[in-house]
Amino acid sequence: MSASPSFVPGLQALPGDMDHSADESGLLEGSDVGSQKERVVTEEEWLQKWEMGNIGFHKEHRHPLLQKYLDVLLNGRSGLRIFFPLCGKAVEMKWLADMGHSVVGVELSEQAVKDFFSEHSLPYCEEPVPEISGGKLFQSTSGNISLYCCNIYDLSSSIVGKFDGVWDRGALVAVNPRDRQRYASLMINLVEKNSSYLLVTVSYDPNKHKGPPFYVPESEIKSLFGNCCEIKCLEKVDDFSEKHRQWGLDYFLEVLYLLKFVA
């Protein structure tokens, strides 16, 4: 796979004069203080989304940005340990596992985890996680996919080890804004030196939609991770759809960052 800006189906890169990202102008830097900063989505609400099938955030097909920048994540390495935070039933987990990587995910919803295995016809075993009250580990019988069903903040490197790569799509942007620092600190503690972390955020006017997904400006990415890794914005993609129009938005971008943890 090439990380060059070649065309990828489903991706529409933005020419400079069409880039609505207010990160560039600074217009929205901090404008989420009043509209989103105090927003809290409870565990019960997330579980209810899965129970009701209200999972518009789930994608049935592999994410075009991960396909395009896969080489950036893998960096020529094989047999990696790759982490999927707030994984849901992401189809990319099986894709990477089939390549020979070891995939570990964490997800609050047991239904989501079980759906993942059933929809891919993967046999699995289930066992408790002694270090986490009520926590469960669902592992494919092949051993290369391990999904922890628990609150992500119950994880630690002593439980799950450390990772060579991270695919964070729909995770940081789903975390309650007041918990971002806690989330970032956990992620930093879970990655190996020289690891590659692909982070997908979204950009829109946070005064017009309460989230999730939440708007996370580039300045906050730098504040959360800048002290321990190199940060590069790889691509901004116009992902605007009728759903976003119904939210009252005028634009909606996906923004892909590479966080490179250096030794």
Side-chain angles (χ1 to χ4, degrees), residues 75 120 201 221 225 228 235 239:
N75 198 23
H120 292 282
T201 66
I221 304 296
F225 295 101
C228 55
E235 189 160 344
D239 195 42

Side-chain angles (χ1 to χ4, degrees), residues 168-180:
D168 185 327
R169 181 260 161 196
L172 176 63
V173 297
V175 169
N176 291 325
R178 68 182 186 186
D179 294 328
R180 284 177 191 155

Side-chain angles (χ1 to χ4, degrees), residues 118-137:
S118 64
E119 289 173 13
H120 292 282
S121 302
L122 291 173
Y124 66 91
C125 55
E126 171 187 340
E127 60 186 57
V129 182
E131 301 93 336
I132 301 175
S133 176
K136 297 179 181 179
L137 170 61

Side-chain angles (χ1 to χ4, degrees), residues 199-254:
L199 168 65
V200 180
T201 66
V202 294
S203 180
Y204 61 86
D205 185 345
N207 295 303
K208 294 185 176 182
H209 180 61
K210 64 182 180 179
F214 296 109
Y215 166 68
V216 185
E218 184 166 334
S219 61
E220 189 159 2
I221 304 296
K222 292 176 179 176
S223 174
L224 292 171
F225 295 101
N227 287 337
C228 55
C229 66
E230 300 169 354
I231 300 171
K232 181 180 181 182
C233 180
L234 297 178
E235 189 160 344
K236 297 181 180 181
V237 178
D238 182 359
D239 195 42
F240 189 72
S241 68
E242 180 58 32
K243 172 179 67 175
H244 303 123
R245 192 186 308 277
Q246 291 174 4
W247 290 356
L249 299 178
D250 305 309
Y251 67 93
F252 188 92
L253 309 178
E254 282 196 318

